[in-house]
Amino acid sequence: MEETYLLNVEGVKKKILHGGRGELPKLQDGSKFTFHFQTLKDDFERTVIDDSREAGMPMEIIVGKMFKLEIWETLLSSMRIGEVAEFWCDAIHTGMYALVSRGMRRIAEGRDPLEGQKHRCGMGNMFDYHSTGYDDLDELQRTPQPLIFIMELFRVEDPSAYKRDTWAMSKEEKLAAVPVLHSEGNRLVLRREFAQAAAKYQEAVICLRNLQAKEKPWEDGWLKLESLVTPLVLNYCQCQLELGEYYEVLEHTTELLQKHNDNAKAYFKRAKAHAAVWNEREAREDFQRVAHLDPSMAAAVKKELKQLGERMRKKHVEDRKRYQGLFQSSQGV
């Protein structure tokens, strides 16, 4: 095992566990590192905090994109392809780890990494969180400490060699990607490929939400982006209705209506979701709101209310028969 110290980097020690191949990669803004990592406490047990292999996906970092844990870009820049190295990093470099880990865990869980984040800088957001939602990360926030990172570098790609993930795009690139994703989603809907279409709409929404996080809520820039978000969310909800994901529709339409309580289309989709899960009272209330907000939809509302009434009557008849059968069976026992 070779041991060395990174030159000109205070508070970092490096051990090479397995040598890499070739020369150090030539980096430029936009180059992408792909690697696996383990994060350990610097305690007797070397307690594992995170392990990207257990999460089932390698980590990616784009050079020059201001990744919150800046030291990682420095560490990876010292590695060759195929190298495995262990880095001890003092607390001066690890203060943001809890916030970074929180985002990575949310992504692995299929959740929005920016959910609940306020319009603040990274450090300000960290202080805003009373809890990260993870006990071990809360401890790291309360007590900044040295950490050990074990990294295995798989590849380094030039910006022209890979498809840019939306989170790694510039503001201009994200704005340009949104109409393309919207159009692709519409095309997939016409082919009745609703799951794939929903993914396109969702990716476009994430682009816009990331941009919104840099704007002050309800000011002009935020409102312009919100006007682009709303139709995408409605299209996403329509796909989820087609896929039978009714509670997903209830969640997203309710969130949308908390901001825009005069959106008839959102009420209409929420009403259909309520009807599908037998929430008759809520469905009727939402359908009535639709007819009030947009008289041009009155005919569609009337049709939906008629279908709802028929479905509920049929359900009541079936329930009564089932309960009678259960009563008669209990009487015969």
Side-chain angles (χ1 to χ4, degrees), residues 111-126:
R111 300 163 66 189
D112 181 358
L114 296 178
E115 180 184 328
Q117 183 162 311
K118 298 184 180 181
H119 179 68
R120 296 280 297 280
C121 65
M123 187 64 74
N125 270 305
M126 185 173 71

Side-chain angles (χ1 to χ4, degrees), residues 197-222:
K200 296 293 183 182
Y201 295 137
Q202 186 177 44
E203 187 175 356
V205 169
I206 290 172
C207 280
L208 294 169
R209 291 297 190 209
N210 287 343
L211 293 174
Q212 272 190 314
K214 298 176 175 65
E215 302 286 344
K216 291 185 178 180
W218 302 105
E219 293 196 356
D220 287 346
W222 189 94

Side-chain angles (χ1 to χ4, degrees), residues 150-173:
I150 300 176
M151 295 177 162
E152 180 179 2
L153 181 60
F154 295 135
R155 59 183 175 271
V156 177
E157 299 169 273
D158 291 336
S160 60
Y162 64 91
K163 179 181 180 294
R164 303 284 293 280
D165 292 325
T166 52
W167 64 265
M169 293 178 180
S170 66
K171 177 180 179 179
E172 292 73 20
E173 289 169 332

Side-chain angles (χ1 to χ4, degrees), residues 121-318:
C121 65
M123 187 64 74
N125 270 305
M126 185 173 71
F127 288 123
D128 275 331
Y129 298 135
H130 298 295
S131 171
T132 62
Y134 305 94
D135 291 341
D136 56 341
L137 300 184
D138 288 345
E139 179 194 346
L140 290 181
Q141 280 200 166
R142 287 190 299 268
T143 313
Q145 56 195 269
L147 294 174
I148 297 168
F149 303 113
I150 300 176
M151 295 177 162
E152 180 179 2
L153 181 60
F154 295 135
R155 59 183 175 271
V156 177
E157 299 169 273
D158 291 336
S160 60
Y162 64 91
K163 179 181 180 294
R164 303 284 293 280
D165 292 325
T166 52
W167 64 265
M169 293 178 180
S170 66
K171 177 180 179 179
E172 292 73 20
E173 289 169 332
K174 286 175 181 174
L175 286 172
V178 167
V180 175
L181 292 166
H182 197 159
S183 177
E184 289 177 352
N186 293 346
R187 178 177 55 81
L188 289 163
V189 166
L190 291 174
R191 292 164 52 178
R192 302 192 65 78
E193 296 178 14
F194 296 113
Q196 296 89 333
K200 296 293 183 182
Y201 295 137
Q202 186 177 44
E203 187 175 356
V205 169
I206 290 172
C207 280
L208 294 169
R209 291 297 190 209
N210 287 343
L211 293 174
Q212 272 190 314
K214 298 176 175 65
E215 302 286 344
K216 291 185 178 180
W218 302 105
E219 293 196 356
D220 287 346
W222 189 94
L223 288 170
K224 287 178 181 177
L225 293 168
E226 185 68 15
S227 69
L228 299 175
V229 167
T230 299
L232 288 163
V233 172
L234 291 172
N235 287 0
Y236 173 82
C237 288
Q238 183 60 42
C239 290
Q240 297 304 320
L241 281 173
E242 297 286 352
L243 294 167
E245 299 291 344
Y246 304 118
Y247 290 103
E248 181 88 354
V249 176
L250 292 175
E251 177 184 349
H252 287 282
T253 51
T254 298
E255 181 182 349
L256 186 62
L257 288 165
Q258 287 171 349
K259 299 175 183 175
H260 311 287
N261 62 5
D262 60 347
N263 192 301
K265 290 182 179 179
Y267 279 118
F268 189 78
K269 295 184 193 305
R270 189 172 76 171
K272 287 177 70 71
H274 275 308
V277 296
W278 307 106
N279 295 338
E280 182 180 12
R281 179 180 60 82
E282 292 87 347
R284 289 186 180 278
E285 288 177 355
D286 278 353
F287 279 132
Q288 288 166 4
R289 288 193 187 98
V290 173
H292 175 72
L293 289 168
D294 188 351
S296 70
M297 297 181 71
V301 167
K302 184 177 180 180
K303 178 181 177 182
E304 291 290 341
L305 286 171
K306 181 180 179 181
Q307 291 177 350
L308 174 61
E310 292 172 351
R311 289 182 67 239
M312 294 308 300
R313 281 191 292 274
K314 183 177 180 181
K315 181 177 185 295
H316 292 326
V317 170
E318 292 174 350

Side-chain angles (χ1 to χ4, degrees), residues 105 159 313 320:
R105 292 183 188 187
R313 281 191 292 274
R320 190 160 53 248

